[in-house]
Amino acid sequence: MVAKEALHKVQMDKRRHRYNKVDRLENVIAMKLDASYFFERGMRFLRKNDLERAVKAFQKTVEYEPDNPVNYCNLAGVLAELGDFQASSDLLHYVLEHMDPKMAECWFYLANNYANLGDYDAAEEHLLRYLELDPDGEYAAEAEEMLGILIDEFGGGRALERKQREEARAETMQAIQDGRYFLENGQFEVAVEWLEQVVASDPSHIAARNNLSLAYYYTGQYDKALAMANSVLERQPDNLHALCNRALLLQHFGNEEERDRAVEPLLKVIPLHPEVAMKVAITLGFVGRHAEALAAFRRTARFVPPDHPMLLHGLAAAHANLGNLEAAECLWRQLARFEDCARLADYHLERVRQARAAGQRAVSISYQLDIPVEMQLAEVRDRLQNSSPDEWRRDPLLRASLHWSLRHGNREVRQRVIRALAVVADEDAEEALKAFLARSDIDASLQEQTLVALKRMGAKGTARMWRAAGPVEVRLEDVRQDIVLDLQPQWREVWDLVHQWLVAHGLSSLAGQARRLWLAYLYDELFLDVRKRIVKPETWASGVLYVVLRYADVPVVQRDLAAQFNVSPSSLSKCSSRLEQIVLRAGWRGHPAREE
């Protein structure tokens, strides 16, 4: 076997542990034929490499103690030494199936047997099973080494890939169940809806309640977030996640007295789990307990790598807030080595340089390892202009920034976010837009833009919005398709010119096609880019008419049509080419702007 000496050692240790009492009578030799006797006899034969007689001795141990799984493992080991790997494996399977399913070393012995039989996939599977059951076991190092050999030299790795896929699926399913999946992907509105269902069906699901508290916080429902954190603490008063959530929420509400009482339990705990320890440290920093946060981060350093980005930033933030600027600079320079954190580190290093130049002793720094708020809006603005919709869907940080900016951004940023979410067009984007529409502090123009975005993505059902008389329920299917015309006077003017021309020339039957084309262009092009403006409506009206007439086989001369609207033929041609892309791309079929 691969680990012959180690196997013999563990077998002897187990036997000696079990049989540590031997009857001894002074000057009398008592010959007691029992399992212990035949075990010692078998070991003597093994040391002499007399395997045939060793097998017979270990068979006797099984006969004398048929309920002891160690005896079967000893016999299996000698059979493997003789090359009878199948018989050895049969004994080991018998132990696992009928005697002791928790005897992890059997999986390691089986892996050796299958490797010797040339069944490397089975050997790999059994090694993985052993490492799963006993990752720090006596044979862990040998198992890791053997696994590496199977993968590197025998073309293995399939079992490992299957195991990793299964673990990833199981982790994803668990993350979905407790809501982490949606939070980590920035789908906060979906997280709220899903977790409310989970908590309603299983009120004892603590992880779901904690995550629902966070989801409420991320969607601006702070009262509900605090109530959910308190509901967890009613069930588990020492739940550290809920204690942290409550302290952060009380800090948000500005209730210093209650916040200080909520922080007290966090000062008395020393979490051993890295994730929890990090959250406690960050919470202490967020509520202004910087010295305690520094101490907590230093304790956390025992459990995580010294170059952990969140640890480096947390330590730097604590030092900066306490006035230890040199230490903070050193830590941020280490953080800057990570490509994903370089901009953040450079931003804070610049802030420290500015503070020094202004003679400031300390710098107020957020403990969140994230783009600062003042950079966030610029980041969103740039990425909305340059990123593809697929990137928005895949990037949790950008999605989180979109949600944050929709709630807190200025008018320009909100307009861009509304359009971005219209392109993302998934369930979470729809819920975010509906929640924004329900706010009482947005004006009629932003309401209209939000309705256009919902109309573009084909949203169904009802949405709540505020009018002068108060909140009203709106059925989205009843919202006019041409509501997009209300966003810009020039957009409606184009349509009015087109309609008037068709009526005047006895071509009213083409009005539906012309209207669909213009609405499709507005939804697909002009609405999505707030920078685009129509300078001369006559140019676009002539362009719409030229495309519609040509596709309807109505004789039309581009130069004559341009003259009727007092525009240049080249301008008409340019506009009609852009409009024709809508026809070629979608054929007016399946688009939300189409009217059947």
Side-chain angles (χ1 to χ4, degrees):
M1 295 176 70
V2 173
K4 176 179 176 182
E5 294 182 359
L7 174 61
H8 289 168
K9 177 180 180 297
V10 75
Q11 291 167 346
M12 293 221 25
D13 288 347
K14 287 180 177 291
R15 180 61 61 186
R16 287 170 178 166
H17 176 72
R18 185 172 180 83
Y19 301 103
N20 58 0
K21 295 181 180 179
V22 180
D23 294 331
R24 298 177 185 274
L25 293 175
E26 193 171 350
N27 299 324
V28 176
I29 299 176
M31 191 173 199
K32 185 177 180 181
L33 300 180
D34 59 6
S36 181
Y37 168 79
F38 285 106
F39 168 76
E40 296 293 345
R41 185 176 174 84
M43 292 305 297
R44 285 198 300 273
F45 289 133
L46 276 179
R47 284 192 286 271
K48 296 177 182 179
N49 203 30
D50 190 345
L51 300 180
E52 295 288 350
R53 297 175 76 181
V55 165
K56 293 179 181 179
F58 285 118
Q59 285 173 336
K60 285 292 185 181
T61 66
V62 172
E63 292 176 11
Y64 276 97
E65 283 188 354
D67 296 328
N68 188 344
V70 176
N71 294 331
Y72 292 83
C73 289
N74 292 335
L75 178 57
V78 183
L79 289 171
E81 293 289 345
L82 281 168
D84 194 348
F85 301 111
Q86 188 58 57
S88 173
S89 297
D90 291 342
L91 284 172
L92 294 168
H93 280 300
Y94 180 82
V95 170
L96 290 170
E97 294 170 11
H98 302 287
M99 302 185 74
D100 187 359
K102 296 181 180 180
M103 202 166 185
E105 57 264 38
C106 288
W107 295 95
F108 178 71
Y109 303 153
L110 283 165
N112 280 274
N113 287 347
Y114 284 118
N116 281 296
L117 288 169
D119 191 346
Y120 301 123
D121 285 346
E124 185 181 342
E125 289 177 359
H126 286 75
L127 285 171
L128 291 170
R129 180 64 173 154
Y130 168 73
L131 290 169
E132 180 183 350
L133 291 173
D134 197 5
D136 299 316
E138 186 172 357
Y139 299 125
E142 291 95 328
E144 294 279 4
E145 182 181 3
M146 186 176 174
L147 189 62
I149 292 172
L150 290 173
I151 293 173
D152 296 337
E153 299 185 19
F154 292 91
R158 290 176 291 276
L160 179 60
E161 289 176 2
R162 284 196 300 272
K163 182 175 183 293
Q164 290 173 339
R165 286 197 300 270
E166 290 169 1
E167 289 176 347
R169 280 197 297 269
E171 171 62 21
T172 299
M173 292 304 297
Q174 181 59 45
I176 290 174
Q177 178 61 26
D178 61 29
R180 282 182 294 116
Y181 175 84
F182 303 113
L183 292 176
E184 290 167 0
N185 285 278
Q187 297 175 273
F188 305 120
E189 308 291 347
V190 173
V192 168
E193 184 177 353
W194 169 257
L195 287 168
E196 284 179 340
Q197 296 175 16
V198 172
V199 170
S201 61
D202 183 7
S204 64
H205 199 317
I206 298 300
R209 284 181 173 273
N210 275 325
N211 288 331
L212 181 54
S213 179
L214 290 175
Y216 281 142
Y217 176 78
Y218 291 139
T219 54
Q221 303 178 71
Y222 304 116
D223 290 332
K224 286 186 175 181
L226 182 58
M228 188 55 61
N230 287 331
S231 76
V232 173
L233 294 172
E234 289 173 4
R235 291 166 171 79
Q236 292 185 359
D238 297 328
N239 188 287
L240 287 176
H241 286 287
L243 288 169
C244 290
N245 291 344
R246 183 175 66 173
L248 290 171
L249 285 161
L250 291 172
Q251 172 79 2
H252 170 82
F253 284 118
N255 192 326
E256 295 184 5
E257 186 176 342
E258 283 193 44
R259 179 206 63 197
D260 290 342
R261 284 200 298 270
V263 169
E264 284 304 313
L266 301 178
L267 300 174
K268 301 174 183 177
V269 298
I270 303 179
L272 298 179
H273 190 283
E275 181 183 343
V276 179
M278 196 74 75
K279 183 167 185 175
V280 169
I282 291 173
T283 301
L284 292 172
F286 265 119
V287 299
R289 305 294 284 266
H290 303 301
E292 292 88 345
L294 180 61
F297 279 117
R298 284 172 170 166
R299 288 195 298 268
T300 305
R302 305 173 191 170
F303 315 120
V304 299
D307 60 350
H308 191 291
M310 191 172 291
L311 175 65
L312 290 174
H313 177 67
L315 287 167
H319 279 300
N321 283 298
L322 289 168
N324 307 324
L325 298 185
E326 284 189 14
E329 283 180 309
C330 180
L331 289 159
W332 275 318
R333 279 194 289 270
Q334 295 179 55
L335 184 64
R337 298 171 188 168
F338 294 88
E339 183 177 355
D340 293 342
C341 301
R343 287 189 63 223
L344 176 69
D346 290 343
Y347 171 82
H348 289 304
L349 286 169
E350 178 60 28
R351 288 195 63 193
V352 170
R353 283 191 288 270
Q354 292 174 359
R356 287 184 184 281
Q360 298 175 5
R361 286 187 166 184
V363 183
S364 179
I365 299 292
S366 169
Y367 286 81
Q368 190 67 36
L369 185 64
D370 199 352
I371 299 173
V373 170
E374 50 267 45
M375 291 177 63
Q376 200 167 48
L377 294 179
E379 178 83 359
V380 171
R381 184 167 52 249
D382 293 343
R383 295 185 70 176
L384 288 180
Q385 292 173 0
N386 303 317
S387 302
S388 68
D390 286 339
E391 183 179 348
W392 302 337
R393 294 186 182 99
R394 292 192 306 266
D395 189 336
L397 177 58
L398 182 54
R399 289 187 72 114
S401 296
L402 291 176
H403 283 262
W404 189 93
S405 300
L406 189 62
R407 290 193 299 274
H408 304 292
N410 59 31
R411 183 179 186 80
E412 178 195 355
V413 169
R414 283 177 168 176
Q415 289 177 327
R416 292 183 185 278
V417 171
I418 288 169
R419 286 152 174 77
L421 292 174
V423 177
V424 173
D426 60 13
E427 183 181 357
D428 188 64
E430 180 179 328
E431 291 301 320
L433 288 171
K434 286 181 177 179
F436 181 69
L437 185 64
R439 292 178 56 156
S440 61
D441 60 342
I442 62 173
D443 59 33
S445 176
L446 285 175
Q447 287 180 339
E448 286 180 343
Q449 293 176 53
T450 306
L451 284 172
V452 170
L454 289 167
K455 203 69 179 172
R456 185 188 188 279
M457 66 172 61
K460 306 294 184 184
T462 61
R464 188 173 183 239
M465 59 186 297
W466 285 80
R467 297 298 191 192
V472 296
E473 293 289 331
V474 177
R475 188 171 179 267
L476 293 174
E477 292 89 337
D478 295 337
V479 175
R480 293 181 295 107
Q481 199 70 49
D482 65 358
I483 187 177
V484 67
L485 296 175
D486 298 337
L487 298 186
Q488 295 286 342
Q490 297 89 343
W491 297 358
R492 181 169 292 280
E493 187 177 351
V494 171
W495 166 242
D496 289 342
L497 289 169
V498 169
H499 188 250
Q500 291 166 10
W501 191 96
L502 290 171
V503 171
H505 290 77
L507 296 172
S508 298
S509 60
L510 298 180
Q513 295 181 38
R515 187 169 178 272
R516 278 208 310 277
L517 173 60
W518 183 233
L519 292 182
Y521 186 74
L522 292 178
Y523 275 104
D524 274 357
E525 299 291 338
L526 295 185
F527 170 68
L528 297 182
D529 192 339
V530 295
R531 297 170 300 176
K532 291 183 178 179
R533 292 285 186 272
I534 289 181
V535 178
K536 192 170 184 179
E538 290 81 3
T539 304
W540 286 94
S542 62
V544 171
L545 286 167
Y546 182 74
V547 172
V548 170
L549 293 173
R550 196 157 58 84
Y551 274 83
D553 294 326
V554 175
V556 59
V557 177
Q558 191 177 88
R559 183 178 58 256
D560 294 342
L561 189 60
Q564 293 182 46
F565 283 91
N566 195 28
V567 299
S568 67
S570 61
S571 296
L572 187 157
S573 177
K574 184 178 180 181
C575 290
S576 63
S577 296
R578 292 181 184 176
L579 289 161
E580 194 164 8
Q581 293 302 311
I582 296 292
V583 180
L584 297 174
R585 186 164 62 236
W588 301 345
R589 292 190 297 274
H591 192 278
R594 183 185 182 191
E595 290 185 345
E596 301 297 344

